[in-house]
Amino acid sequence: MRGCAPEKVASFAQKAGFVNSNIHNDTAVYGTDNFAIAKISTSSPLSYEIKTGQTDVVEFLIPNTSVPYLSGDGAVYYSEVNTVYNVSPNRPFNIQHKPTGVSFTDIIVNRSLFDEVLKSKNLDFSSLASPFYASASLSAFIELFISEYGKDNCDEANVLIPMSRIIVSGIIDSAVQNNASEEHTTSYFKGIRVATEYINANYDKQLSIEDLAEACGLSYSYFSNCFKRTFGDTPKGYITNLRINKAKYYLTETVIPIKEISVKCGFSHFNTFTSAFKKYVGVSPREYRNRKKNTAASA
C-alpha cells in the first residue's frame, strides 16, 4: 500500500495558484497530483486573491462561513454557507471579508480529469449551474477524503484517486440538480448583487433600505435578513462603512475641505459624519488627516 505524498499535493496546489498560506492562520491541503482540497481559515480580516489565469484546472469555492468576495469585474457578491462557486479561469478572483472567523473549502481539479467525468455523463461545462448548493453526499465525501488522507496507511491509488473522481462527479451532479432551483437562486443572488452594486455606485446619495429591497424584488425583512446573514453586517452598516472608507481616501489623497468630503460621501449633516467617522476609525476626520499628513512627512 503506497502512502500519500504531501509534497506532490502541495506542488499541484501551488501550481494551480490557490494556496497562499502567508495570509491565513490555518491552511491545510489534501489531495493527489491532479486533485486538491484546501481547508482555509483565518481569525483576522481576510483579503485574498486566487490567481485563476490557468485554463488547465477547474476551481470551486465552498464557504464554511459567510464569505463576501469581490470578482475581478468589480461586482460585489456575497456567498452563502454550503454553496459552491465555480471560479472562472478567465479573471482574477478576490475574496474580502471584514468580520473575523472566516473559513472556506477550495477544490481544484485538473481540467482533463474534470472533462473526463463530464464526458462520462454526456454533459458539457455549459450544463452546470453556478452558484449551486452542495449536496449532503458531496459534503460527506469531501470530509471522508480528508479523513482517508490523514491516515498513516493512506492508499492513494486505491482510495484517494477513486474518491476524487466521486467528488468531481458529486460536484457535477449538484450543479445539474440545482438547475431546477435556478429561479430561487437567481432571485436571491441577483437581489443581493443588485443592491450592493447600487450602493457602491450611489453611496453619495440618500439611500433608503426600503427602496433597495424594492429595487431588487425582495421584501424589506427578507432583504435585511439575507444581507446580514451573507455579509455579517446590516445594509445600513455596510453603507456607513463604505462611506467612511471613501472619506478616508479623500482625507489622505486630496485637499478637499472636510465639510465638503462629508457631502461627497453621502452624509446629510456634518455632525453625523464626524460622529460616525470617530466611531468607526477612533479619531475625528481632522485628526485622521493630520496623522496621515505627519506620517507622510516623516517618511
Side-chain angles (χ1 to χ4, degrees):
M1 188 176 290
R2 184 160 58 91
C4 297
E7 70 281 353
K8 185 168 60 174
V9 180
S11 175
F12 172 67
Q14 292 289 354
K15 181 182 177 183
F18 80 126
V19 174
N20 181 355
S21 58
N22 292 331
I23 55 136
H24 301 294
N25 289 1
D26 184 25
T27 300
V29 184
Y30 318 85
T32 66
D33 59 356
N34 66 357
F35 174 87
I37 298 173
K39 286 284 191 175
I40 302 171
S41 63
T42 175
S43 59
S44 57
L46 175 64
S47 181
Y48 175 46
E49 179 176 350
I50 300 174
K51 299 174 182 177
T52 56
Q54 300 82 3
T55 57
D56 58 344
V57 297
V58 183
E59 182 171 3
F60 298 91
L61 182 147
I62 308 175
N64 303 316
T65 60
S66 280
V67 182
Y69 64 90
L70 177 65
S71 73
D73 62 5
V76 178
Y77 302 79
Y78 299 101
S79 61
E80 270 194 308
V81 173
N82 208 40
T83 301
V84 185
Y85 297 84
N86 173 221
V87 182
S88 169
N90 300 317
R91 64 186 184 185
F93 187 85
N94 302 284
I95 303 170
Q96 296 183 336
H97 198 266
K98 179 186 171 186
T100 59
V102 177
S103 172
F104 59 93
T105 300
D106 215 6
I107 298 176
I108 281 198
V109 186
N110 186 290
R111 185 59 189 255
S112 61
L113 169 61
F114 195 84
D115 287 345
E116 183 183 331
V117 179
L118 267 177
K119 186 177 180 180
S120 71
K121 296 174 177 289
N122 295 315
L123 295 170
D124 56 41
F125 210 80
S126 63
S127 307
L128 309 182
S130 183
F132 56 90
Y133 296 111
S135 66
S137 61
L138 172 58
S139 300
F141 272 111
I142 290 172
E143 294 307 316
L144 183 59
F145 185 99
I146 292 171
S147 174
E148 290 294 329
Y149 184 90
K151 292 181 178 178
D152 292 337
N153 60 348
C154 168
D155 187 347
E156 180 180 333
N158 296 312
V159 177
L160 294 186
I161 290 178
M163 199 177 295
S164 69
R165 293 181 65 91
I166 292 173
I167 292 173
V168 172
S169 180
I171 289 172
I172 294 169
D173 289 343
S174 292
V176 171
Q177 291 166 7
N178 274 208
N179 277 330
S181 60
E182 183 178 0
E183 184 176 346
H184 169 76
T185 303
T186 300
S187 173
Y188 172 78
F189 284 101
K190 280 191 176 178
I192 297 299
R193 179 179 178 180
V194 166
T196 50
E197 286 182 339
Y198 186 83
I199 292 169
N200 290 345
N202 296 279
Y203 66 90
D204 57 334
K205 301 178 177 64
Q206 295 305 304
L207 298 171
S208 160
I209 309 304
E210 290 84 355
D211 290 343
L212 289 171
E214 184 178 349
C216 57
L218 302 174
S219 70
Y220 175 86
S221 59
Y222 183 67
F223 169 72
S224 298
N225 289 336
C226 287
F227 200 103
K228 178 71 179 291
R229 185 173 69 246
T230 53
F231 185 36
D233 202 354
T234 64
K236 183 179 179 181
Y238 176 84
I239 293 168
T240 303
N241 188 58
L242 176 61
R243 287 171 171 167
I244 295 298
N245 283 330
K246 295 293 184 180
K248 288 165 71 176
Y249 167 79
Y250 287 124
L251 288 166
T252 56
E253 303 298 326
T254 75
V255 293
I256 298 173
I258 295 176
K259 282 192 175 181
E260 188 176 333
I261 289 174
S262 72
V263 175
K264 287 178 70 68
C265 293
F267 290 93
S268 54
H269 301 288
F270 182 66
N271 287 341
T272 303
F273 167 60
T274 55
S275 296
F277 194 94
K278 192 163 186 177
K279 177 182 177 181
Y280 276 73
V281 183
V283 296
S284 70
R286 189 173 302 281
E287 288 176 291
Y288 183 82
R289 171 172 270 180
N290 289 339
R291 285 185 184 183
K292 292 295 181 179
K293 190 186 299 182
N294 293 336
T295 301
S298 60

